[in-house]
Amino acid sequence: MDQAQSLRQLVSSRDSKPEPGDGPSARIITVCSGKGGVGKSNFTLNFALALKAMGRRVLLFDADIGMANIDVLMGVTAKYNLYHLLKREADIAQIIQNGPGDLPFIAGGSGMDELFSLSESDLNYFTSQIARIADTMDFILFDTGAGLSKETLKFITSADDCLVVTTPEPTAITDAYALMKVVHNSHPDVSFKLIVNQAGDEKEARGTGDKIRMAASRFLQLDIPFLGYISSDVHVVQAVKKQVPFSVAFPNSAAAKDVQRLALNYLSAEPVEAVKVQGIRGFINKWLKRKQ
């Protein structure tokens, strides 16, 4: 029995409205980028797989409005997505799909547009459904759209952590900093961590990270941890063409080793057991308050 099937059975056996505090709280991670083309979704997928390989319970949620593609990167055709949940054509247990490495995920699709125009009754239903999986996960990763739309801003400012993906390209650096500046100026409590993708080598990656961190420190009085980098690796492109995550298709590649190191850095920086998180209920409560 794969993990997604086990998860569906576990969720189905629970009451649809668990009491607050029932079980451990999942840590909510939003992954974003200042611009498109930096490999954000590919990073999110392989980062989720790396966390899972380290024994963590992970759910991947494709929250990219209009450009949801996590299922494409995995070569999986999702039978259900968020749209079916919001239209009450399927419950939360049914829309949980299974990807490579038995990674449970929820496809976004057109349902993401619906999510931001729900009635109060439908929002309550969505909340109760999502809450059913809260105590079955250690991490829930939201892969958001590139740039800073009002929808992405709500995800960023409601999560426990925001991982910002950039590349050494000057426009990517500028846009990553601009995103953090806008978010920080309106929501200074947001916790950012920086990832450099498609780096030529460690020196280039750290140089890129330092540029953003120095600007944030000087102009925003903000200390942004540099979580790590992923090397520019031909295996990544090959894996995308195969529609298989690069950490699965080429586990010994430089990129696969880098993403494993990133996951370890994340877990080592803030041990899960030592961090108080708001969990999915706190995330949804914040998100609902920022609905307008």
Side-chain angles (χ1 to χ4, degrees):
M1 182 184 298
D2 60 48
Q3 182 176 345
Q5 185 178 353
S6 298
L7 181 57
R8 285 193 290 268
Q9 290 184 359
L10 178 60
V11 171
S12 297
S13 68
R14 296 176 183 272
D15 184 85
S16 62
K17 294 182 179 180
E19 292 297 321
D22 178 30
S25 294
R27 187 168 183 82
I28 311 301
I29 304 173
T30 293
V31 185
C32 64
S33 62
K35 66 185 292 291
V38 301
K40 170 186 55 60
S41 295
N42 213 349
F43 162 76
T44 308
L45 170 58
N46 287 277
F47 183 69
L49 286 166
L51 290 174
K52 186 177 181 302
M54 293 175 183
R56 270 45 180 199
R57 301 170 300 172
V58 183
L59 176 67
L60 179 56
F61 198 124
D62 195 342
D64 190 341
I65 311 269
M67 295 292 288
N69 63 357
I70 288 291
D71 53 342
V72 176
L73 289 172
M74 291 189 285
V76 176
T77 301
K79 182 178 181 180
Y80 298 109
N81 59 37
L82 184 62
Y83 176 86
H84 298 96
L85 175 67
L86 299 179
K87 291 299 182 181
R88 309 196 188 198
E89 297 175 4
D91 63 20
I92 189 67
Q94 292 174 299
I95 72 167
I96 297 172
Q97 309 292 300
N98 195 58
D102 289 338
L103 176 68
F105 76 97
I106 295 176
S110 59
M112 290 309 303
D113 291 320
E114 301 281 340
L115 186 57
F116 293 93
S117 58
L118 295 179
S119 65
E120 183 175 353
S121 173
D122 287 338
L123 278 170
N124 289 335
Y125 173 74
F126 171 73
T127 301
S128 68
Q129 287 287 303
I130 295 296
R132 292 172 63 187
I133 63 174
D135 60 352
T136 67
M137 290 291 123
D138 295 314
F139 297 102
I140 299 178
L141 272 69
F142 286 88
D143 178 42
T144 66
L148 191 60
S149 66
K150 62 180 181 179
E151 292 84 7
T152 296
L153 179 62
K154 292 169 190 172
F155 279 107
I156 291 174
T157 57
S158 301
D160 295 305
D161 266 334
C162 178
L163 307 187
V164 181
V165 181
T166 188
T167 70
E169 182 184 323
T171 55
I173 295 173
T174 300
D175 289 347
Y177 172 74
L179 179 146
M180 289 186 280
K181 177 181 177 180
V182 171
V183 174
H184 179 72
N185 284 342
S186 59
H187 299 87
D189 59 330
V190 171
S191 172
F192 295 109
K193 291 180 176 63
L194 183 65
I195 294 98
V196 176
N197 194 22
Q198 303 171 16
D201 52 30
E202 182 176 0
K203 181 179 179 181
E204 182 178 53
R206 292 194 176 279
T208 300
D210 287 345
K211 289 178 183 178
I212 296 175
R213 297 182 72 245
M214 288 175 64
S217 177
R218 179 178 179 182
F219 299 109
L220 305 178
Q221 291 74 54
L222 183 62
D223 181 22
I224 301 174
F226 175 65
L227 197 60
Y229 70 96
I230 298 177
S231 303
S232 180
D233 188 340
V234 67
H235 293 101
V236 174
V237 177
Q238 292 174 1
V240 170
K241 291 179 180 179
K242 290 175 179 286
Q243 290 184 276
V244 180
F246 63 76
S247 58
V248 174
F250 305 102
N252 295 318
S253 65
K257 293 178 180 178
D258 289 339
V259 80
Q260 291 170 6
R261 189 179 303 112
L262 269 162
L264 183 60
N265 289 346
Y266 181 83
L267 296 177
S268 300
E270 294 183 315
V272 176
E273 297 81 3
V275 178
K276 182 178 180 181
V277 300
Q278 61 179 341
I280 195 69
R281 290 180 180 278
F283 169 81
I284 292 175
N285 286 338
K286 278 188 178 181
W287 186 85
L288 291 178
K289 288 178 182 178
R290 290 161 185 166
K291 182 172 181 287
Q292 300 301 326

